[in-house]
Amino acid sequence: MLVIHGTADPLFPIEHGEAFTRVASNARLHRVEGGGHEIHDRDIDEMVLAIATHTAA
């Protein structure tokens, strides 16, 4: 399982993503530095790469 979480999310702080990956089997956390609760165009390439890398493993 891949968890993608922004480090600057004001609604669900990064600690929520970190906690989730500790309790979900085989979860891996990908942090989007400076990312908030929404998805920005500038983050899409990074997110696609993270997903592609995760699914190829």
Side-chain angles (χ1 to χ4, degrees):
M1 175 185 299
L2 177 64
V3 177
I4 298 176
H5 202 292
T7 61
D9 189 331
L11 298 177
F12 296 101
I14 188 64
E15 291 81 12
H16 288 222
E18 293 166 346
F20 183 75
T21 58
R22 286 193 297 273
V23 299
S25 293
N26 301 317
R28 185 176 74 79
L29 177 62
H30 178 84
R31 293 170 179 83
V32 177
E33 292 299 323
H37 193 70
E38 65 291 325
I39 297 172
H40 290 282
D41 289 343
R42 68 176 181 262
D43 299 325
I44 291 176
D45 289 343
E46 175 185 348
M47 293 169 66
V48 168
L49 180 60
I51 293 167
T53 301
H54 180 76
T55 56

